[in-house]
Amino acid sequence: MDREPLIACEHCASVYRRRALQRDEAAVCGRCGTLLWRFSRLTPADWLALVIAALVVFVVANAYPVASLSVQGVEQRATLLDAISITWRQGHQAVALMTGLAGFVLPLLELLLLGWVLAPLSRGRAAIGRATAIRVLSWLRPWSMVPVFLLGVLVSVVKLAGMAAVHPEIGLGGFFVLTLLLTTLGRLSPHALWRLAETHGAAPVHVPHAGPGQVLAGCHVCGQVQALPGDADHAGDPHRCVRCDAVVHVRKPDHLARTWALMIAASILYLPANLLPVMNISSLLGDSEHTILGGVVELWNGGSYDIAIIVFVASVMVPLTKLLALAILAWSTQRRRTGNLRPRTRMYEMVEFIGQWSMLDVFVVIVLAALADFQGLMAISAGPGAAAFGMVVILTMLAAMSFDPRRGWDHAGADDEPDPDDAAVAPHALHPVQPVAAVTAPAGRGGPGSGSM
């Protein structure tokens, strides 16, 4: 029993003993309802096969055009790299850089790092530089946006369908398959990678014991629970993880100040992002500029009601929802409100989940620019609003990452400290300690918490 690994909930900091689950079971935090981990039959070799398949599909998706456009007998085809290159040549380097990283560089690097870690692990060995590789993976995961690019291509095809003959190409099918594979691989989080290594004997199991004045806290990169000084005055002091050497804080330092600052910056940029044109169209009939809302109205008037709703939700409602939800969470934590903590935890998970989808319009613009690149006939380019909108997405995602949902649960614990004898590990100075045991439920319950497998 004492050698069973521990796991800390990332949203309320409760500590549990990680035990083996049965088929279709998942472990859910008994305090906040967050999904902690789930049963998986896949071995390291199985995961490696999925990574290799994803790399092959990645090459196909980027080597072939995603769509083609014909105007007056002239045909234009475009790959993702074409779209990035044309946007760069048009003078919109910021937009090209954002989309190039999110749609190509970071997904490729993520797959290569997964392969680097899983290849030796499939033979029961640790990869060279494993800790560093998994730390980099934890930074890359939120910024890989292949599914958003896929939806952007579909929206672009619908927008151009009324102007010219548009045909989907092999690359679009490649991105569809790649999205499915990356979604499956999304379950293999950095936490899950380390658990897989422990299970197959490629990483030692470290079970900490909190001494006087210490608390148990989980590493945000690898999930390793360790004993740290629990003095409230030093809760934000950095320490090094005993397993992956990442910087570990009992709680994120100055999380409210950073969250508010990033939200204010995003709110300021939200105005030019919606008021300035995100796209410029030049044709034989003249020049025109289009804002985000203008594009939604165009799709609606053209009869593409479903696409119009998707664009409106992703580009208008999602950023507003993120800003409003983060403001509510930050204000509630700052005011030490202890009510509705479970709904607030679900709200935070929702903000994390929808974060990247606001990038949809930026991808739409670069795809349109690549497909409608007919010199002398028609040209589409990004407008100043596109760069501002991309920055809004980045800032809101950083604001969500800066916020520490555990602080709200700390405040709830201060008013109702449990009997230390009820805890199977050690009393936690910052929250009521839960019994160290897995709370199991059918897979799918709880939230999309980090570290599921």
Side-chain angles (χ1 to χ4, degrees), residues 26 39 53 75 94 98 143 182 195 258 303 368 406-407 416 418:
F39 173 81
E75 187 177 61
M98 285 188 286
W143 307 102
L182 288 176
R195 290 200 298 271
R258 289 185 290 117
L368 291 176
R406 297 171 297 182
R407 293 285 189 178
D416 185 23

Side-chain angles (χ1 to χ4, degrees), residues 202-222:
V205 176
H206 172 72
V207 181
H209 297 279
Q214 290 185 318
V215 296
L216 296 177
C219 173
H220 71 286
V221 173
C222 71

Side-chain angles (χ1 to χ4, degrees), residues 422-436:
D422 291 339
V425 175
H428 198 301
L430 299 179
H431 67 77
V433 181
Q434 296 296 309
V436 183

